[in-house]
Tab-separated table of all heavy atoms in Angstrom:
chain	number	residue	atom	x	y	z
F	63	ARG	N	12.147	-70.275	8.527
F	63	ARG	CA	13.131	-71.321	8.814
F	63	ARG	C	14.415	-70.649	9.265
F	63	ARG	O	14.835	-69.640	8.677
F	63	ARG	CB	13.407	-72.172	7.568
F	63	ARG	CG	14.318	-73.377	7.831
F	63	ARG	CD	14.633	-74.115	6.531
F	63	ARG	NE	15.400	-73.264	5.630
F	63	ARG	CZ	16.714	-73.095	5.706
F	63	ARG	NH1	17.422	-73.723	6.624
F	63	ARG	NH2	17.336	-72.307	4.852
F	64	VAL	N	15.029	-71.188	10.302
F	64	VAL	CA	16.301	-70.642	10.776
F	64	VAL	C	17.392	-71.060	9.796
F	64	VAL	O	17.729	-72.237	9.693
F	64	VAL	CB	16.642	-71.139	12.193
F	64	VAL	CG1	17.970	-70.534	12.664
F	64	VAL	CG2	15.532	-70.794	13.173
F	65	ALA	N	17.932	-70.083	9.073
F	65	ALA	CA	18.980	-70.382	8.099
F	65	ALA	C	20.326	-70.578	8.783
F	65	ALA	O	21.096	-71.480	8.440
F	65	ALA	CB	19.080	-69.251	7.076
F	66	PHE	N	20.616	-69.724	9.763
F	66	PHE	CA	21.871	-69.829	10.520
F	66	PHE	C	21.733	-68.974	11.767
F	66	PHE	O	20.744	-68.259	11.941
F	66	PHE	CB	23.077	-69.387	9.678
F	66	PHE	CG	23.001	-67.968	9.169
F	66	PHE	CD1	23.615	-66.928	9.853
F	66	PHE	CD2	22.335	-67.677	7.991
F	66	PHE	CE1	23.545	-65.624	9.393
F	66	PHE	CE2	22.261	-66.362	7.514
F	66	PHE	CZ	22.871	-65.342	8.216
F	67	CYS	N	22.708	-69.075	12.634
F	67	CYS	CA	22.693	-68.320	13.892
F	67	CYS	C	23.971	-67.490	14.006
F	67	CYS	O	25.012	-67.842	13.440
F	67	CYS	CB	22.575	-69.262	15.094
F	67	CYS	SG	21.040	-70.224	15.114
F	68	GLY	N	23.897	-66.404	14.748
F	68	GLY	CA	25.080	-65.558	14.918
F	68	GLY	C	24.713	-64.271	15.614
F	68	GLY	O	23.621	-64.141	16.169
F	69	PHE	N	25.602	-63.307	15.569
F	69	PHE	CA	25.436	-61.973	16.149
F	69	PHE	C	25.515	-62.020	17.662
F	69	PHE	O	26.322	-61.337	18.277
F	69	PHE	CB	24.137	-61.318	15.670
F	69	PHE	CG	23.810	-60.009	16.347
F	69	PHE	CD1	24.665	-58.931	16.239
F	69	PHE	CD2	22.664	-59.874	17.091
F	69	PHE	CE1	24.374	-57.724	16.871
F	69	PHE	CE2	22.357	-58.668	17.728
F	69	PHE	CZ	23.218	-57.608	17.606
F	70	SER	N	24.670	-62.816	18.291
F	70	SER	CA	24.728	-63.010	19.740
F	70	SER	C	24.161	-64.387	20.040
F	70	SER	O	23.438	-64.958	19.215
F	70	SER	CB	23.927	-61.922	20.476
F	70	SER	OG	22.550	-62.036	20.193
F	71	PRO	N	24.490	-64.969	21.191
F	71	PRO	CA	24.008	-66.324	21.507
F	71	PRO	C	22.484	-66.419	21.418
F	71	PRO	O	21.776	-65.635	22.059
F	71	PRO	CB	24.508	-66.560	22.934
F	71	PRO	CG	25.716	-65.685	23.057
F	71	PRO	CD	25.383	-64.461	22.255
F	72	GLY	N	22.005	-67.348	20.604
F	72	GLY	CA	20.574	-67.563	20.466
F	72	GLY	C	19.897	-66.769	19.372
F	72	GLY	O	18.690	-66.913	19.157
F	73	PHE	N	20.661	-65.932	18.653
F	73	PHE	CA	20.059	-65.120	17.591
F	73	PHE	C	20.001	-65.932	16.300
F	73	PHE	O	21.029	-66.295	15.734
F	73	PHE	CB	20.861	-63.835	17.366
F	73	PHE	CG	20.162	-62.829	16.485
F	73	PHE	CD1	19.497	-61.749	17.040
F	73	PHE	CD2	20.159	-62.967	15.105
F	73	PHE	CE1	18.855	-60.822	16.232
F	73	PHE	CE2	19.521	-62.052	14.289
F	73	PHE	CZ	18.857	-60.972	14.854
F	74	GLY	N	18.803	-66.203	15.826
F	74	GLY	CA	18.625	-66.945	14.580
F	74	GLY	C	18.222	-66.022	13.449
F	74	GLY	O	17.384	-65.116	13.629
F	75	TYR	N	18.800	-66.232	12.282
F	75	TYR	CA	18.438	-65.486	11.076
F	75	TYR	C	17.370	-66.300	10.349
F	75	TYR	O	17.654	-67.374	9.814
F	75	TYR	CB	19.660	-65.262	10.193
F	75	TYR	CG	20.638	-64.263	10.758
F	75	TYR	CD1	21.490	-64.602	11.804
F	75	TYR	CD2	20.703	-62.967	10.254
F	75	TYR	CE1	22.388	-63.676	12.327
F	75	TYR	CE2	21.604	-62.032	10.770
F	75	TYR	CZ	22.440	-62.407	11.806
F	75	TYR	OH	23.327	-61.487	12.325
F	76	LEU	N	16.133	-65.783	10.332
F	76	LEU	CA	14.992	-66.511	9.810
F	76	LEU	C	14.662	-66.061	8.392
F	76	LEU	O	14.516	-64.860	8.130
F	76	LEU	CB	13.764	-66.294	10.699
F	76	LEU	CG	13.659	-67.078	12.007
F	76	LEU	CD1	14.838	-66.803	12.934
F	76	LEU	CD2	12.355	-66.752	12.719
F	77	THR	N	14.547	-67.020	7.485
F	77	THR	CA	14.145	-66.731	6.119
F	77	THR	C	12.717	-67.215	5.892
F	77	THR	O	12.196	-68.031	6.655
F	77	THR	CB	15.073	-67.421	5.109
F	77	THR	OG1	15.061	-68.841	5.344
F	77	THR	CG2	16.497	-66.916	5.229
F	78	GLY	N	12.091	-66.721	4.842
F	78	GLY	CA	10.735	-67.157	4.515
F	78	GLY	C	9.913	-66.080	3.835
F	78	GLY	O	9.025	-66.379	3.033
F	79	LEU	N	10.189	-64.814	4.151
F	79	LEU	CA	9.461	-63.736	3.486
F	79	LEU	C	9.878	-63.650	2.017
F	79	LEU	O	11.036	-63.907	1.690
F	79	LEU	CB	9.739	-62.397	4.179
F	79	LEU	CG	9.102	-62.202	5.562
F	79	LEU	CD1	9.644	-60.933	6.205
F	79	LEU	CD2	7.585	-62.147	5.460
F	80	PRO	N	8.960	-63.293	1.116
F	80	PRO	CA	9.321	-63.159	-0.304
F	80	PRO	C	10.314	-62.039	-0.529
F	80	PRO	O	10.451	-61.122	0.295
F	80	PRO	CB	7.972	-62.881	-0.988
F	80	PRO	CG	7.087	-62.359	0.099
F	80	PRO	CD	7.540	-63.010	1.367
F	81	ALA	N	11.011	-62.106	-1.656
F	81	ALA	CA	12.077	-61.149	-1.956
F	81	ALA	C	11.589	-59.706	-1.937
F	81	ALA	O	12.329	-58.797	-1.535
F	81	ALA	CB	12.702	-61.478	-3.306
F	82	GLU	N	10.343	-59.466	-2.341
F	82	GLU	CA	9.842	-58.093	-2.379
F	82	GLU	C	9.590	-57.516	-0.991
F	82	GLU	O	9.294	-56.326	-0.850
F	82	GLU	CB	8.559	-58.009	-3.217
F	82	GLU	CG	7.396	-58.827	-2.700
F	82	GLU	CD	7.337	-60.227	-3.304
F	82	GLU	OE1	8.390	-60.717	-3.771
F	82	GLU	OE2	6.242	-60.813	-3.302
F	83	ARG	N	9.715	-58.334	0.044
F	83	ARG	CA	9.547	-57.849	1.411
F	83	ARG	C	10.884	-57.540	2.083
F	83	ARG	O	10.937	-57.296	3.293
F	83	ARG	CB	8.775	-58.874	2.246
F	83	ARG	CG	7.336	-59.124	1.791
F	83	ARG	CD	6.592	-57.846	1.543
F	83	ARG	NE	5.155	-58.051	1.375
F	83	ARG	CZ	4.360	-57.195	0.750
F	83	ARG	NH1	4.876	-56.078	0.223
F	83	ARG	NH2	3.061	-57.427	0.642
F	84	THR	N	11.958	-57.533	1.335
F	84	THR	CA	13.257	-57.136	1.875
F	84	THR	C	13.186	-55.679	2.356
F	84	THR	O	12.614	-54.822	1.681
F	84	THR	CB	14.343	-57.264	0.788
F	84	THR	OG1	14.476	-58.635	0.440
F	84	THR	CG2	15.679	-56.744	1.275
F	85	VAL	N	13.737	-55.412	3.526
F	85	VAL	CA	13.743	-54.046	4.051
F	85	VAL	C	15.163	-53.662	4.453
F	85	VAL	O	15.946	-54.516	4.885
F	85	VAL	CB	12.802	-53.887	5.273
F	85	VAL	CG1	11.370	-54.197	4.903
F	85	VAL	CG2	13.242	-54.757	6.431
F	86	PRO	N	15.522	-52.397	4.325
F	86	PRO	CA	16.874	-51.971	4.719
F	86	PRO	C	16.991	-51.874	6.236
F	86	PRO	O	15.999	-51.706	6.955
F	86	PRO	CB	16.993	-50.587	4.084
F	86	PRO	CG	15.578	-50.063	4.071
F	86	PRO	CD	14.714	-51.273	3.807
F	87	ARG	N	18.210	-51.970	6.718
F	87	ARG	CA	18.458	-51.671	8.124
F	87	ARG	C	18.239	-50.179	8.355
F	87	ARG	O	18.249	-49.378	7.421
F	87	ARG	CB	19.910	-52.033	8.496
F	87	ARG	CG	20.193	-53.523	8.476
F	87	ARG	CD	21.685	-53.772	8.656
F	87	ARG	NE	21.994	-55.189	8.601
F	87	ARG	CZ	22.158	-55.964	9.670
F	87	ARG	NH1	22.041	-55.437	10.883
F	87	ARG	NH2	22.426	-57.239	9.545
F	88	ARG	N	18.055	-49.814	9.603
F	88	ARG	CA	17.918	-48.404	9.945
F	88	ARG	C	19.198	-47.647	9.601
F	88	ARG	O	20.301	-48.176	9.752
F	88	ARG	CB	17.634	-48.252	11.434
F	88	ARG	CG	16.224	-48.636	11.853
F	88	ARG	CD	16.084	-48.632	13.358
F	88	ARG	NE	16.601	-47.402	13.976
F	88	ARG	CZ	15.914	-46.274	14.094
F	88	ARG	NH1	14.668	-46.213	13.645
F	88	ARG	NH2	16.457	-45.226	14.671
F	89	ALA	N	19.048	-46.415	9.160
F	89	ALA	CA	20.216	-45.593	8.844
F	89	ALA	C	21.058	-45.344	10.089
F	89	ALA	O	22.290	-45.287	10.024
F	89	ALA	CB	19.771	-44.277	8.221
F	90	SER	N	20.399	-45.211	11.245
F	90	SER	CA	21.096	-45.002	12.517
F	90	SER	C	20.702	-46.116	13.477
F	90	SER	O	19.557	-46.139	13.954
F	90	SER	CB	20.727	-43.643	13.125
F	90	SER	OG	21.119	-42.593	12.273
F	91	PRO	N	21.611	-47.046	13.777
F	91	PRO	CA	21.286	-48.121	14.727
F	91	PRO	C	20.937	-47.569	16.101
F	91	PRO	O	21.419	-46.511	16.506
F	91	PRO	CB	22.576	-48.951	14.776
F	91	PRO	CG	23.306	-48.618	13.525
F	91	PRO	CD	22.965	-47.190	13.228
F	92	ARG	N	20.087	-48.287	16.804
F	92	ARG	CA	19.756	-47.912	18.171
F	92	ARG	C	20.875	-48.356	19.100
F	92	ARG	O	21.470	-49.416	18.919
F	92	ARG	CB	18.443	-48.571	18.595
F	92	ARG	CG	17.230	-48.032	17.857
F	92	ARG	CD	15.962	-48.734	18.322
F	92	ARG	NE	14.765	-48.080	17.793
F	92	ARG	CZ	14.177	-48.418	16.646
F	92	ARG	NH1	14.655	-49.418	15.921
F	92	ARG	NH2	13.104	-47.766	16.228
F	93	ALA	N	21.132	-47.556	20.134
F	93	ALA	CA	22.171	-47.898	21.109
F	93	ALA	C	21.751	-49.098	21.946
F	93	ALA	O	22.605	-49.859	22.420
F	93	ALA	CB	22.470	-46.706	22.010
F	94	ARG	N	20.451	-49.289	22.134
F	94	ARG	CA	19.970	-50.415	22.920
F	94	ARG	C	18.641	-50.898	22.374
F	94	ARG	O	17.699	-50.120	22.245
F	94	ARG	CB	19.805	-50.030	24.393
F	94	ARG	CG	19.425	-51.222	25.292
F	94	ARG	CD	19.217	-50.767	26.730
F	94	ARG	NE	19.023	-51.886	27.652
F	94	ARG	CZ	17.847	-52.498	27.830
F	94	ARG	NH1	16.778	-52.100	27.143
F	94	ARG	NH2	17.749	-53.504	28.679
F	95	VAL	N	18.588	-52.177	22.044
F	95	VAL	CA	17.351	-52.845	21.645
F	95	VAL	C	17.013	-53.849	22.738
F	95	VAL	O	17.865	-54.642	23.155
F	95	VAL	CB	17.507	-53.566	20.285
F	95	VAL	CG1	16.253	-54.351	19.941
F	95	VAL	CG2	17.836	-52.561	19.192
F	96	ALA	N	15.792	-53.827	23.215
F	96	ALA	CA	15.393	-54.689	24.333
F	96	ALA	C	15.363	-56.157	23.926
F	96	ALA	O	15.061	-56.494	22.771
F	96	ALA	CB	14.022	-54.269	24.846
């Protein structure tokens, strides 16, 4: 389910995975994500 939108136009933050499936962000962000 789309909980809210942000970051860039059209980017939805989707919830639904159980708490034990939480994952950290990458230690080093990529300069470009397609």
